Amino acid sequence: QVQLVESGGGLVQPGGSLRLSCAASGFIFSWYAMNWYRQAPGKEREMVATISAGGRTNYADFVKGRFTISRDDAKNTVYLQMNSLSSEDTAVYYCNTKIGVVYWGQGTQVTVSS
């Protein structure tokens, strides 16, 4: 079955960096686009970044120039490099993919605070 497992979250100071990983299994990873979403307390889940099967990327305006999505098809893993973090980036970060239906990971908490 499809499984997505996020990791790499934690507590970081404003201006700091984190790299999130999402390890995928149960499907042919290289065939599918992968996405990162986030959900802050009291807010709706929102798209952060996407990467197509061919490596084309797209970003939400609020992360352009700060976050980079990438994928390693040999490792069945998608990454989100996050730089210049601010308190507004505090959220649970999820990866997902759509294979007929949308699959979600369990999420990883990112907290930006001094």
Side-chain angles (χ1 to χ4, degrees):
Q1 69 278 22
V2 174
Q3 283 194 315
L4 302 172
V5 180
E6 300 96 335
S7 62
L11 174 64
V12 62
Q13 292 187 342
S17 299
L18 280 176
R19 188 175 83 153
L20 306 182
S21 301
C22 172
S25 61
F27 64 102
I28 302 174
F29 180 79
S30 61
W31 286 11
Y32 296 94
M34 298 296 298
N35 314 298
W36 283 100
Y37 279 70
R38 72 185 187 185
Q39 187 166 20
K43 295 187 176 181
E44 293 187 353
R45 196 170 294 189
E46 59 185 358
M47 188 277 288
V48 174
T50 68
I51 186 165
S52 72
R56 185 167 57 249
T57 59
N58 188 42
Y59 297 93
D61 286 344
F62 54 79
V63 302
K64 282 182 180 178
R66 300 189 300 125
F67 291 11
T68 302
I69 188 171
S70 62
R71 63 190 297 156
D72 186 337
D73 290 347
K75 295 183 178 180
N76 288 358
T77 301
V78 60
Y79 303 97
L80 186 68
Q81 176 67 44
M82 306 187 296
N83 300 326
S84 302
L85 287 162
S86 73
S87 59
E88 295 183 349
D89 297 313
T90 294
V92 178
Y93 284 72
Y94 300 89
C95 66
N96 85 4
T97 191
K98 183 177 180 181
I99 308 170
V101 298
V102 177
Y103 293 90
W104 294 89
Q106 84 289 349
T108 185
Q109 175 71 48
V110 172
T111 303
V112 184
S113 175
S114 55

